[in-house]
Amino acid sequence: MRIALVTDYYLPTLGGVQTAVRSLAEALTAAGHDVTVFCPDDPAGPAHSAGTAQAPGTAIVPAVVGLPVSRVFRPDGYPFAWSPRRLRALLRREFAARRVDVVHTHSEMFAALGGIRAAQDLGIPVVHTMHGRIDVYTRNVLPVPAVTTALLAFLHATQVPRRGVRVAADTPYTRTRTARRMWRVMLAQSRASDHVVVPSRHFADKLVDRGVRTPVSVVSNGIEPAVLDAIGPATVRTRTAGEPLRVLWVGRLSPEKRPEVLVEAARSFPPGTVVDVLGDGVARAAVARAAAGTPVRLHGSTPHDEVLAAMRRAHVLVSSSSDFDNQPMVMLEAVATGLPVVHCDPDLAEVVPDGGGFTTPTPDAAGIASVVRRLHDEPEQLVRASAALVAARDRVEQRVDELVAVYASVLRPSRTT
């Protein structure tokens, strides 16, 4: 198949969607499909690759086409695909020239919306992956969210109609007007797609409960072979007497990820514990101030290979987010390295193989600290959890059969011949 993957996230940056799209693009290309990734360009960042098959034994690099971006608006420091007219025109030309069979969108902003509009112009089916809760993301990242979400929702509605889409205020996550506004965006985009893919069951259930009637499939993300090769064999973590407990946190330094909760918890970690935080974002300055006098070390934006190396050195990964993440790619990478995971969100237990993770008793700093202290005092628990992940490593390898079946299910008859 000729497949277009469209996302609003700049691929060279660190983030779960970027990692998922790169992994999927490589795996689909390796499986023999013709894949092109469309994402925002960034004049200040690394250039996109042209897309070529590399030497035997190295990663296959799909083609990447950069999209036009705003000169002034960079939410959370990322380039913002703009304008809708330019995006739609460019994507329509590219889809037609590349004879795209299926458009697969991976975000809810204007690159993806341009992909939907261009696909509609050309009669190409659209599959949409809902990677996360944009109601939580926009509330925490955008300035004056009561105003900016209204503007974004209005602009979204100019591209994808939301007439008839209603969201009730009968759940904790739709209680506020801002949240309902963003849920209407998610539902409208689902309605504009031919099929919706969600990496986790808990988020799929929320979408269906809120009114998504487009077919929904739960298809896990995965780690591409090149990354598994870079990681090497997973090893069981051990910690000798007197050795510092090495705690790792990886992700976007943004309020919805709650890095400040980890910092607060670190004040109660056992003496000698080392806490490394990898990533950057709008909350970095605040987190740096809070981390003064704690064992937390901020490393800033970190290349992917160094993230994987840090995972191999660490004893445990902490995920401090709660009621936000869908299926964090960093947790899948932790599984691939045999790194046990401590997480605050009970929903994320489905991401970690049985026995390989620890859910905190409460989602606050005290809950994190209590689990870390227990793992420090009882190192055999780390050994058992790590061994469970090593045994289940094949679960996180990127597979494309289920997703290709989704693509086939939406193909127009004229495109199956």
Side-chain angles (χ1 to χ4, degrees):
M1 296 181 193
R2 293 176 293 272
I3 303 161
L5 306 181
V6 186
T7 178
D8 281 86
Y9 292 91
Y10 178 54
L11 283 196
T13 55
L14 180 65
V17 177
Q18 298 92 307
T19 301
V21 171
R22 286 194 300 265
S23 175
L24 177 59
E26 180 186 319
L28 286 169
T29 302
H33 302 284
D34 184 354
V35 179
T36 306
V37 179
F38 297 87
C39 70
D41 219 341
D42 190 351
H48 293 301
S49 63
T52 56
Q54 304 298 309
T58 63
I60 297 172
V61 182
V64 180
V65 175
L67 301 176
V69 299
S70 169
R71 296 181 180 181
V72 295
F73 188 50
R74 291 177 65 92
D76 209 10
Y78 291 111
F80 187 75
W82 190 258
S83 67
R85 180 185 57 80
R86 287 194 298 161
L87 290 165
R88 180 181 181 181
L90 184 152
L91 289 165
R92 185 170 56 233
R93 289 195 305 270
E94 290 285 345
F95 292 170
R98 296 170 186 270
R99 299 173 59 217
V100 167
D101 295 312
V102 177
V103 172
H104 187 171
T105 54
H106 290 266
S107 49
E108 289 78 36
M109 289 293 104
F110 294 101
L113 298 181
I116 290 175
R117 295 296 300 278
Q120 290 171 341
D121 292 343
L122 300 170
I124 303 172
V126 175
V127 173
H128 178 58
T129 289
M130 198 75 72
H131 283 281
R133 295 269 304 280
I134 63 169
D135 57 318
V136 181
Y137 176 80
T138 53
R139 183 185 71 215
N140 285 281
V141 171
L142 296 182
V144 196
V147 175
T148 49
T149 57
L151 175 60
L152 284 174
F154 168 77
L155 292 171
H156 189 280
T158 66
Q159 306 301 309
V160 174
R162 60 183 181 184
R163 183 178 298 118
V165 176
R166 298 287 182 266
V167 178
D170 57 352
T171 68
Y173 50 87
T174 58
R175 186 174 298 129
T176 68
R177 178 178 296 180
T178 300
R180 293 193 296 277
R181 184 179 292 139
M182 289 295 98
W183 272 95
R184 288 185 71 192
V185 166
M186 288 187 277
L187 267 58
Q189 187 147 349
S190 297
R191 188 174 66 179
S193 306
D194 295 274
H195 203 109
V196 174
V197 172
V198 186
S200 64
R201 171 54 57 190
H202 70 268
F203 191 30
D205 291 343
K206 286 185 175 70
L207 289 169
V208 173
D209 179 67
R210 290 298 90 191
V212 170
R213 297 296 175 259
T214 303
V216 177
S217 293
V218 178
V219 180
S220 176
N221 289 318
I223 307 300
E224 66 269 41
V227 172
L228 293 175
D229 290 344
I231 291 171
T235 57
V236 176
R237 299 302 192 277
T238 59
R239 179 174 155 267
T240 60
E243 181 183 3
L245 179 67
R246 293 186 293 275
V247 176
L248 182 66
W249 190 99
V250 180
R252 186 175 60 251
L253 289 177
S254 190
E256 75 280 2
K257 295 286 188 176
R258 306 198 316 152
E260 76 286 351
V261 178
L262 171 74
V263 172
E264 183 181 349
R267 297 183 183 279
S268 302
F269 287 174
T273 302
V274 175
V275 184
D276 290 304
V277 172
L278 278 55
D280 207 346
V282 295
R284 182 174 182 180
V287 173
R289 288 192 298 270
T294 75
V296 175
R297 301 181 297 191
L298 302 183
H299 296 265
S301 181
T302 306
H304 193 222
D305 59 340
E306 293 182 23
V307 171
L308 298 177
M311 286 186 172
R312 290 193 294 269
R313 294 190 299 267
H315 291 117
V316 63
L317 176 81
V318 172
S319 170
S320 53
S321 71
S322 182
D323 195 31
F324 169 68
D325 276 312
N326 183 357
Q327 187 195 50
M329 291 299 294
V330 66
M331 290 176 67
L332 297 184
E333 291 174 338
V335 173
T337 64
L339 179 62
V341 178
V342 173
H343 57 92
C344 297
D345 190 337
D347 282 341
L348 296 184
E350 71 172 286
V351 180
V352 185
D354 290 344
F358 306 88
T359 306
T360 61
T362 55
D364 54 10
I368 296 175
S370 68
V371 175
V372 170
R373 284 195 299 267
R374 175 158 52 90
L375 296 178
H376 177 275
D377 296 341
E378 303 173 26
E380 65 276 7
Q381 291 201 30
L382 279 177
V383 175
R384 288 197 296 268
S386 183
L389 297 182
V390 171
R393 189 187 198 224
D394 61 346
R395 275 186 47 183
V396 299
E397 183 177 349
Q398 178 72 68
R399 294 177 174 85
V400 298
D401 291 353
E402 289 182 86
L403 198 50
V404 169
V406 170
Y407 294 158
S409 73
V410 300
L411 283 177
R412 309 289 192 254
S414 62
R415 293 180 177 271
T416 61
T417 59

